[in-house]
Amino acid sequence: MHIPAYAHPTIRSAVPVLPTSRHVAALDCCFCDEPFGDRLPVPLGPSSTSGFFGCHSCLRQLVSRARQSRDDAFARSVEQAEEEAAAWRAARGRHLADLDRVRLAADTVVAFAGAGEVEALRMAWLLVSLESAHAWATDYAPAPPPTVQIPDTELKEGRFQLDLAMVSAREAVAERLAYHLINESQPVDPELCAELECPDDCSGRHDDVHIDCGPDQIFEDLAEAGQQLPGHGGLLEQPVARQDGTQP
């Protein structure tokens, strides 16, 4: 009689702890205690001539019970996997929505910084609160259960788009605050009003929104700050390579 491997634990658990002499002598079934008579005993080990012996009827019942237990466990595992996948999809949807909300907030900060209508201190706080929202939204991403083995391209795309929006927001606010500090440090100059054709109620403050310092000012400023970078001459003084890679 063939006994499948999945039935071995069920059969072992049904074997009596204290066998009788008739059990080990292959006279009685170790499960139902009925004499074998003219029935052929099925050896259960440890060898074909010693150990425990069972009848076909009892073993068929035990195999059937083990099969039912296996099928029930499989059904439960499938149901559990479906529940875990559904819970993950719901959490993933909320996470994607959070990423998109923060991305929209970053786009709004960029717009505010470019319009110049929000005061500088308020812009600084907007960036700080945006960074906090970004940290909360990205620090935790729901991990898929083991049964979900597909690449989540939508989540990667959401993170990528948010990262781009955050870079733009940081750059916009940094530029806004840099020019604010520079303009605040400049003295009032009413004499420029006539040249710039300012309205009569001009306060004499003329804020810059774009300053071109040239290609080399940054290196001179860093040198004054104590950081001398390697290289000689200005950027415009460096020889430009021809298209074939040779120097002029």
Side-chain angles (χ1 to χ4, degrees):
M1 178 181 179
H2 172 68
I3 300 177
Y6 63 79
H8 291 176
T10 301
I11 294 174
R12 283 196 296 267
S13 64
V15 170
V17 178
L18 296 175
T20 67
S21 59
R22 293 182 62 83
H23 290 162
V24 297
L27 298 176
D28 292 347
C29 172
C30 67
F31 302 115
C32 64
D33 290 329
E34 293 294 328
F36 287 113
D38 57 353
R39 298 180 299 167
L40 185 65
V42 179
L44 303 176
S47 69
S48 59
T49 57
S50 63
F52 293 95
F53 300 86
C55 65
H56 284 75
S57 177
C58 289
L59 288 172
R60 279 195 296 269
Q61 293 179 18
L62 290 170
V63 170
S64 178
R65 185 190 308 169
R67 184 184 303 111
Q68 185 63 46
S69 298
R70 181 200 61 179
D71 294 344
D72 291 345
F74 178 75
R76 287 193 299 271
S77 65
V78 170
E79 182 179 358
Q80 181 180 0
E82 292 176 350
E83 292 176 353
E84 291 176 349
W88 171 75
R89 285 192 293 269
R92 172 182 172 276
R94 293 189 296 270
H95 182 62
L96 286 172
D98 289 341
L99 295 180
D100 195 55
R101 289 178 68 244
V102 178
R103 180 188 62 79
L104 291 175
D107 291 342
T108 304
V109 168
V110 172
F112 281 176
E117 298 177 355
V118 179
E119 62 178 356
L121 181 58
R122 185 58 179 164
M123 286 304 312
W125 276 112
L126 284 175
L127 180 61
V128 170
S129 60
L130 176 64
E131 293 287 2
S132 296
H134 175 263
W136 278 89
T138 57
D139 280 352
Y140 170 73
T147 53
V148 179
Q149 299 292 338
I150 56 175
D152 197 345
T153 55
E154 186 177 4
L155 181 58
K156 291 181 179 179
E157 179 66 18
R159 285 293 301 270
F160 177 70
Q161 293 298 329
L162 175 57
D163 290 343
L164 291 180
M166 289 298 298
V167 170
S168 297
R170 291 164 182 148
E171 290 179 350
V173 175
E175 182 176 6
R176 171 80 166 82
L177 297 182
Y179 276 99
H180 170 75
L181 291 175
I182 291 174
N183 290 325
E184 286 294 312
S185 67
Q186 300 299 320
V188 175
D189 190 0
E191 296 181 0
L192 284 177
C193 291
E195 180 180 345
L196 298 176
E197 298 182 354
C198 298
D200 294 339
D201 59 349
C202 179
S203 64
R205 179 176 295 281
H206 307 94
D207 291 344
D208 290 310
V209 295
H210 177 71
I211 301 174
D212 185 358
C213 297
D216 302 316
Q217 186 63 46
I218 178 60
F219 305 104
E220 297 174 5
D221 291 343
L222 290 175
E224 290 180 3
Q227 183 62 52
Q228 183 72 44
L229 298 182
H232 302 282
L235 291 180
L236 298 182
E237 298 175 5
Q238 302 298 325
V240 180
R242 298 190 179 96
Q243 291 184 355
D244 59 3
T246 62
Q247 297 293 335

